[in-house]
Structure formats: structure tokens, C-alpha cells
Amino acid sequence: MLKDMSDQELKALIRELARGADLELTDERIDIVLPQFKQQLAWLETLQSFRLPLEAEPSMVFRHRRRASKKKSRPR
Amino acid sequence: MSPRELSYLTIKEAAALMRRKKLSPVELVRAVLSCIDELDPKIHAFISVMAEEALGAARAAEREMGRKKFRGPLHGIPVGVKDTHYTKGMKTTAATPVLADFRPSFDATAVVRLREAGAILVGKTALPEFSFGGVTPGTYNPWDLSRTPGGSSGGSAAALAAGMLLGATGGDTTGSIRGPATYCGVVGLKPTFGLVSRHGVTVISWSLDHLGPMTRTVEDNALMLNVLAGYDPDDRSSVEIKLPNYAKAIGRKVKGLRAGIPRPSLFEGVHDEVRKSFDEAVKVFKKLGLKIREVDLPFMREAEAAQRIIRISEASAYHETFLKSQPERYGPSNVRRDVEAGSLITAAQYVRAQRVREQIVRELETVLDAIDVLLTPGESEPAGEPLRGRYNFKSYFNLTGLPGLAVPSGFSASPPGLPLGLQIVAGPFEEELLYAVGHAYQLLTEWHTRRPPL
């Protein structure tokens, strides 16, 4: 739906979102931000197409552990 | 040796000469400063050069060595850090007018560790504003002064290629160590997320930022990682693990290792010269006894989208104060625009990106079960050529946190004389494997020994 919006509609949306974020954006700044906002919408659309299992957790605490299985073919 | 010859020594060579009293830290630092004086007006790799402080530190190192106190292979070695690293009482600008007057009250953990190892900080290297972007405006590639060294760690890469430093650090959120290393024909490691502390380094994205060593050889890179790696309670992402001696991985046998290469469709848009160089590199790895097989890299398009949304959401949070208090101070780059737009992403959208990330990490773990290392091009094109690669082989490993080592792998014929590189990736905390494979490759090739026509 967002991708079908006109530039004017998107600018109005930016204005509202900026207000929600307590960010002051003049009309001139909104014109500058618009192309990047559209790019973000494209990325978000790609993410929407990813089928997430309901139980999928976010990597909010992002830590690795050394992988457990050591392959026999790896020389040491 | 001339100053130019001295400043092109590897860290290992310089350390050996100093131990045998054939070279003094003062002589080496003077040589490096002389090269900076001669070459940096053309390259602009540095934001600041601390000549007096460096010479003072070199004299102190010389006195220590005179008392037979050697701190290790970095003792007396001239290095640079990216100008995102806090240096106590010294300007740390991140190349932005927003921080033009910022003088931190402490050193970044990486700076502390380098100093404790006896390394001599000669300068702070150039970057794009706040590290945003794949070029470093105003800094030039030593291999072709009309072209970019890449970004964002472009100053570090250019300084190494030009022989103005023996080692440096860079930061990598979307490929900012590996990209410039490839464009400039040097070696750059993005370590596993959590291995090297980012405490005291300006932020793009807390969950994607990595800091790592940049050098002219794989062996030197391992020597620097020995100093930089390790748990730091001040970095909440830092991981407490038993650290190996990375330099001991050098010379380790690689025959029989299983190496994955991306399936052909993932090379869409990759420059012909890069493809040719990559195919030649694969032949070298086969000669070394690696077993090569094609693999799929799952969800590359989705990974790039997730990386972009996470990066700009977190960056916008970091920039919130600057945006509200001094928006007019941003430079002429797109940083202000990007973080303003990023501020409009909702919390649910950000969390979705983090959920997608976790799923992709799990999918990639399955791929890694069947291989020991993965080989990809370092960049999709030579420096300054149009970006046409469909898939980003660098940011994929920022998202997944896996270590990636960029190694020089050739030079382009058309356009002529530009460095090309490859990336070697391994599982989490398997930097030793990267060094073993990368060093074995450098033993059979001479790309890393070539010097730019300056």
C-alpha cells in the first residue's frame, strides 16, 4: 500500500511520522528526505516478504558462540 | 635503507630488525613521518598527524629496548587509527563538523591496547562523515590518484598502500574495512562480532559495527589482532572467550579444507576483471589442496534489506541528540538526510529486521556446516568503477557477524593497474582459519608485495 502512495501522500506521512518522533522537519527537509524514505520503504517491503515463523526471536542480544562441531577434515 | 624502504617494511620485518638492534623505533618513525610529509599532500589519508607525540613515544620505546624490554612485535611500530577512535585530549572528529571540537577524556580500548603493546600512534586516518559510505571524500587511492580508496576506512587503507603506516585500524558496519582494503591492495579483517572492543569509538550501529586490523600482509594482521582482540567489559557486545595466539595460525596446513564459493547466479553484475581474478584465485586455492564446492548464500536480498534497516535505525538513535540540538552543523554529505529518514522507522519495523536477521543467521549456519571457509570477491568492481554487483558480499557478514578477511588477489587490466581482492569467511571466532588460508595464499602469490607508482 505504501509503495502506491503519491509523493504528496508520502510527504504528509513523513510529516506525521516526524511529529511522532519529535523531529522537526521543514518542507525543504522533507523534500530532501523523501528519496531516502522511499528507499527505506523498498527495504521494508523486502522484509515483509520474508516468511517469519511466529516463534522467531529478534537478534536483540547478538552474541556468538564458537561452533561446536569440529570437522574431521580440518587440519590443525 | 631509504625512508621509503623502511616505511614499506612489514611489522614482522621491522620488529625483527629492532630486536637485533639493526633498526631503532626513532629511525622508523622518522622514516614514516618523512613519507607522510612527501606523500600525504597528494593522498590526504590523515585527518591529523601527531609527529611530536610519535617521536616522543619512539624515544621512550628506544630507551625501553635499550634496557632489553621488548613488549612484543608491535613495540616501536608506527600505526594509525581511524579518526573515530577516541584519543584522550586529542581531537576525534569522525570527519564531521558536529564533532569538530570533540576532545575525549579517555582513549578507546583499541588505542589503549595498541599503546600498551608499544605501538606508536602517528596519526588518525580519514573517513567520510561519521563513517557513512563507501567512499572517502577528499582522500585518493595511491594506485590511481583520480580514484577513491573506498570507504569508510579509506584513509587507513590508502596510508598502508602508500607506505605511510605499517599497521592501522578500521571500522566495518557495511564492509568498511574489507572494501577499502580491496580497493587499495592491502589486507583487512572484519573480526567476529564481539571479538574486538568498540568501546570509545563513534557509532554507526551498535549491533553491526566491528573494529579490526588493516595491514599489508596476512601475517602482520594476525600480529595486530593478537593485541586488539579480547574481552572488554566496557563493550556490552564483547565476548569472553579463550584467545588463541593468532600468529601461530600462520603456516598451518590448509590442505583438505573445504571451501565454498558462491553459486554463479550470485555473481550477477560483478565486474569481469573481478570475476577473472576470483577464478584465478580459486585455482590457487585448489593448488593448495582446498576442496572447492559451490554453495548458496541464503536470502542475500533480504539480508541486505535487514542490514540497511537495522543500520539506519540504530544510527538514527545515536544521532538523536545531534539532530535535535545542532542539525545545521552536519557536513554536505547525506548523513543528516539518512538519519532523519531513519528516525521515521517504527519500532516494529526495526524488530522485524532483527527477527529476519536471526533467521538468516540460522540458515547460514546450515551452509557453514558443510564447509570450513567461504571465498567471495572482496568487492564487485575495481575502485571507482560503477557499482553493479547485485549482491553485497560484505554487508552479509556484518549482519551475520562472521569474520571476513580481505586479501589482495590481482590487478585489473581494464581499467589498468587497480588492485582486486578476495574475501575469506569462516565460522564465528575462527580467525585462525582465515589467517592460515590467507597466508597460504600469499605464499603462492605476490600481489601483496607490489607497490603503487607514487
Side-chain angles (χ1 to χ4, degrees):
Chain A
M1 189 182 76
L2 287 171
K3 69 176 179 181
D4 299 326
M5 289 170 84
S6 69
D7 281 3
Q8 286 314 311
E9 288 172 314
L10 287 173
K11 285 181 190 179
L13 178 60
I14 291 172
R15 198 169 286 113
E16 289 308 307
L17 286 169
R19 192 176 300 164
D22 193 22
L23 184 66
E24 202 174 304
L25 287 184
T26 62
D27 287 347
E28 185 194 359
R29 288 304 307 167
I30 289 173
D31 285 341
I32 292 169
V33 164
L34 180 63
Q36 184 63 11
F37 186 71
K38 286 182 179 173
Q39 176 62 71
Q40 284 177 187
L41 293 181
W43 291 328
L44 290 168
E45 193 187 348
T46 301
L47 292 179
Q48 282 299 328
S49 70
F50 190 98
R51 281 188 58 201
L52 272 174
L54 189 60
E55 62 278 12
E57 290 186 24
S59 325
M60 298 299 275
V61 180
F62 185 60
R63 287 194 176 179
H64 272 306
R65 283 176 181 80
R66 192 184 283 274
R67 61 184 176 184
S69 61
K70 292 293 157 197
K71 288 98 202 164
K72 284 178 186 163
S73 69
R74 183 180 304 156
R76 291 284 165 189
Chain B
M1 276 193 269
S2 69
R4 193 70 79 82
E5 286 168 327
L6 285 173
S7 67
Y8 266 124
L9 288 172
T10 65
I11 292 173
K12 189 187 174 193
E13 289 166 343
L17 287 171
M18 284 194 268
R19 267 198 174 262
R20 295 205 307 269
K21 296 189 177 168
K22 303 279 186 197
L23 174 67
S24 82
V26 174
E27 195 181 354
L28 184 57
V29 167
R30 282 208 176 111
V32 163
L33 290 172
S34 151
C35 288
I36 292 173
D37 278 348
E38 181 193 344
L39 300 172
D40 206 44
K42 288 191 264 188
I43 295 170
H44 302 286
F46 292 92
I47 288 182
S48 52
V49 176
M50 293 86 91
E52 285 311 308
E53 292 91 334
L55 281 168
R59 286 186 200 102
E62 195 165 280
R63 284 194 294 275
E64 272 194 341
M65 288 179 189
R67 297 194 301 269
K68 294 196 176 353
K69 185 179 176 190
F70 287 93
R71 297 190 188 198
L74 260 56
H75 199 178
I77 300 295
V79 299
V81 297
K82 191 174 178 178
D83 199 30
T84 51
H85 296 34
Y86 288 18
T87 39
K88 187 177 177 180
M90 293 178 194
K91 275 190 178 181
T92 299
T93 71
T96 174
V98 175
L99 297 179
D101 308 316
F102 179 47
R103 288 176 189 271
S105 59
F106 64 95
D107 279 339
T109 299
V111 173
V112 170
R113 288 184 175 170
L114 286 169
R115 289 193 204 275
E116 283 174 352
I120 293 167
L121 184 59
V122 296
K124 302 190 74 178
T125 57
L127 64 149
E129 185 172 25
F130 276 117
S131 290
F132 273 50
V135 298
T136 303
T139 302
Y140 302 101
N141 192 317
W143 292 94
D144 178 342
L145 294 173
S146 71
R147 292 175 187 261
T148 180
S152 63
S153 307
S156 292
L160 285 164
M164 296 191 284
L165 290 171
L166 276 72
T169 60
D172 195 319
T173 307
T174 312
S176 287
I177 287 174
R178 293 157 291 156
T182 300
Y183 279 172
C184 292
V186 300
V187 175
L189 174 78
K190 181 201 82 65
T192 308
F193 189 79
L195 184 66
V196 175
S197 168
R198 299 96 35 94
H199 176 62
V201 176
T202 61
V203 171
I204 295 181
S205 160
W206 294 280
S207 76
L208 292 166
D209 288 351
H210 299 67
L211 186 152
M214 300 174 77
T215 52
R216 285 191 289 265
T217 66
V218 170
E219 199 165 14
D220 281 0
N221 208 278
L223 293 174
M224 276 193 81
L225 187 65
N226 271 345
V227 168
L228 292 169
Y231 177 65
D232 177 10
D234 288 328
D235 179 346
R236 299 298 296 173
S237 302
S238 184
V239 176
E240 200 165 6
I241 56 161
K242 189 166 180 270
L243 294 175
N245 179 343
Y246 294 102
K248 284 198 172 164
I250 299 299
R252 193 175 282 178
K253 194 177 141 202
V254 297
K255 190 176 174 185
L257 287 175
R258 301 163 302 167
I261 56 171
R263 61 178 162 79
S265 61
L266 295 173
F267 283 88
E268 187 182 332
V270 169
H271 196 285
D272 285 347
E273 296 283 329
V274 171
R275 186 66 208 255
K276 271 189 245 166
S277 155
F278 183 73
D279 291 344
E280 288 301 314
V282 169
K283 285 182 196 166
V284 174
F285 286 112
K286 281 183 181 165
K287 211 170 176 179
L288 285 164
L290 273 73
K291 295 172 189 164
I292 309 287
R293 60 183 286 187
E294 282 179 10
V295 294
D296 193 15
L297 296 177
F299 301 112
M300 285 204 80
R301 214 167 64 84
E302 292 81 354
E304 181 163 9
Q307 194 271 349
R308 295 286 176 182
I309 290 297
I310 292 165
R311 172 186 172 276
I312 201 58
S313 299
E314 294 183 9
S316 300
Y318 179 71
H319 281 258
E320 186 182 7
T321 310
F322 303 139
L323 270 185
K324 287 179 179 166
S325 64
Q326 43 185 330
E328 72 291 342
R329 289 193 71 190
Y330 281 88
S333 71
N334 288 327
V335 174
R336 181 180 171 190
R337 178 201 71 176
D338 289 1
V339 292
E340 282 174 338
S343 305
L344 311 178
I345 294 168
T346 68
Q349 288 166 333
Y350 169 74
V351 172
R352 180 175 186 88
Q354 290 283 19
R355 293 175 77 203
V356 170
R357 174 189 206 169
E358 186 63 30
Q359 293 298 302
I360 293 172
V361 169
R362 286 175 189 218
E363 291 284 335
L364 185 59
E365 281 169 357
T366 310
V367 175
L368 285 176
D369 279 345
I371 56 174
D372 298 303
V373 292
L374 174 73
L375 309 171
T376 77
E379 278 285 7
S380 296
E381 62 294 310
E385 292 296 293
L387 313 181
R388 297 209 175 100
R390 168 127 196 238
Y391 300 105
N392 190 327
F393 292 121
K394 302 186 309 296
S395 66
Y396 192 72
F397 299 106
N398 292 93
L399 187 83
T400 54
L402 301 182
L405 181 71
V407 180
S409 67
F411 286 85
S412 61
S414 173
L418 296 173
L420 305 169
L422 63 96
Q423 174 180 233
I424 310 167
V425 176
F429 303 108
E430 292 179 350
E431 280 76 3
E432 289 170 281
L433 199 49
L434 299 182
Y435 287 140
V437 173
H439 179 69
Y441 178 78
Q442 291 202 322
L443 285 178
L444 287 197
T445 56
E446 47 75 50
W447 311 117
H448 60 291
T449 64
R450 295 200 190 176
R451 304 288 170 248
L454 290 165

